[in-house]
Amino acid sequence: GENVEQHPSTLSVQEGDSAVIKCTYSDSASNYFPWYKQELGKRPQLIIDIRSNVGEKKDQRIAVTLNKTAKHFSLHITETQPEDSAVYFCAATPKTSYDKVIFGPGTSLSVIP
Amino acid sequence: EPEVTQTPSHQVTQMGQEVILRCVPISNHLYFYWYRQILGQKVEFLVSFYNNEISEKSEIFDDQFSVERPDGSNFTLKIRSTKLEDSAMYFCASSRDRGDEKLFFGSGTQLSVL
């Protein structure tokens, strides 16, 4: 089955700097890669997603890149703000199993004012 | 914006007792899910449900677990005989359809098994 790894597990950046979180997946048939943000004590919320037929997607300060050959994808946050502090989870959905989203272990991002 | 709602927000139970966690998915969504998150760990898939039957389940979802959609709005997770290791935050989620895998999560039920 699909296995998603994520690095780093914790990340601290100064406000205004960029943050990059990297994920790898094992199932080459996976075709959908969402990123969820979870603030302390709250529900995970989708912030951006990318499908396997696209290499890059951007939404304001957030971008995601996908390298299908290497089976890795990354989240890039530019001009970080204190409200970006949260745990970020990458995830993958196997093409053969649309109903199962497999999450990575999470990255705790702290943006220092 | 429509939200997935879950009740109760907290549930404390004794080991061996049965618990039922309740969820009301977004009204026009067709796919429903339960995930759990042990404190400080990742979100783990339990089960997905479509057209009144289970479509996928994980190794965690053993015979102690069951799901049901007893009416047109509620979606429940039952744990028949709770164990200490069932203590976790349980999230319900829903999505519009199979091709649209964006999950909308509820606010969760924190289950504590004593």
Side-chain angles (χ1 to χ4, degrees):
Chain A
E2 176 64 276
N3 184 47
V4 179
E5 299 292 336
Q6 188 170 346
H7 301 279
S9 56
T10 59
L11 179 60
S12 288
V13 298
Q14 291 288 332
E15 183 177 357
D17 287 351
S18 295
V20 180
I21 302 170
K22 298 182 179 181
C23 288
T24 59
Y25 61 98
S26 61
D27 186 348
S28 57
S30 289
N31 67 342
Y32 175 68
F33 307 93
W35 287 87
Y36 286 84
K37 175 183 180 183
Q38 186 178 31
E39 296 175 7
L40 188 63
K42 297 199 174 176
R43 73 190 80 188
Q45 291 194 302
L46 181 76
I47 55 171
I48 195 167
D49 56 11
I50 191 167
R51 298 184 188 273
S52 59
N53 58 347
V54 174
E56 184 173 355
K57 183 176 178 181
K58 191 172 181 180
D59 182 4
Q60 299 182 342
R61 296 186 297 108
I62 295 172
V64 58
T65 58
L66 171 65
N67 182 327
K68 283 176 58 180
T69 305
K71 292 189 284 187
H72 66 70
F73 56 116
S74 301
L75 178 72
H76 304 252
I77 306 173
T78 58
E79 300 170 28
T80 53
Q81 300 166 2
E83 50 265 39
D84 294 330
S85 297
V87 178
Y88 291 80
F89 293 98
C90 61
T93 300
K95 185 176 183 180
T96 53
S97 183
Y98 290 118
D99 301 336
K100 184 188 287 189
V101 178
I102 306 301
F103 285 79
T107 295
S108 178
L109 173 65
S110 299
V111 180
I112 304 163
Chain B
E1 184 176 290
E3 282 191 342
V4 175
T5 58
Q6 286 185 245
T7 55
S9 56
H10 293 84
Q11 175 86 52
V12 181
T13 190
Q14 294 289 328
M15 191 170 59
Q17 295 296 305
E18 174 183 288
V19 294
I20 297 176
L21 310 183
R22 292 183 165 78
C23 169
V24 178
I26 294 172
S27 62
N28 64 344
H29 285 189
L30 300 176
Y31 289 81
F32 315 118
Y33 312 83
W34 284 100
Y35 283 80
R36 80 172 186 190
Q37 186 176 33
I38 295 170
L39 186 64
Q41 298 187 23
K42 68 179 174 182
V43 179
E44 297 178 291
F45 171 80
L46 293 179
V47 66
S48 58
F49 191 86
Y50 169 71
N51 201 25
N52 283 322
E53 61 183 22
I54 291 173
S55 51
E56 292 270 0
K57 60 182 181 179
S58 72
E59 309 77 43
I60 303 168
F61 195 87
D62 62 21
D63 292 344
Q64 295 299 312
F65 291 87
S66 62
V67 288
E68 195 176 37
R69 193 143 192 257
D71 53 45
S73 59
N74 290 288
F75 178 52
T76 62
L77 174 70
K78 182 192 290 186
I79 308 175
R80 229 178 308 280
S81 178
T82 50
K83 302 187 281 285
L84 295 176
E85 54 265 38
D86 293 328
S87 295
M89 177 72 87
Y90 287 80
F91 289 106
C92 174
S94 67
S95 63
R96 205 167 49 209
D97 58 48
R98 173 164 266 194
D100 177 3
E101 300 98 336
K102 295 178 186 177
L103 296 178
F104 293 81
F105 283 87
S107 53
T109 294
Q110 180 64 55
L111 176 65
S112 298
V113 182
L114 305 179

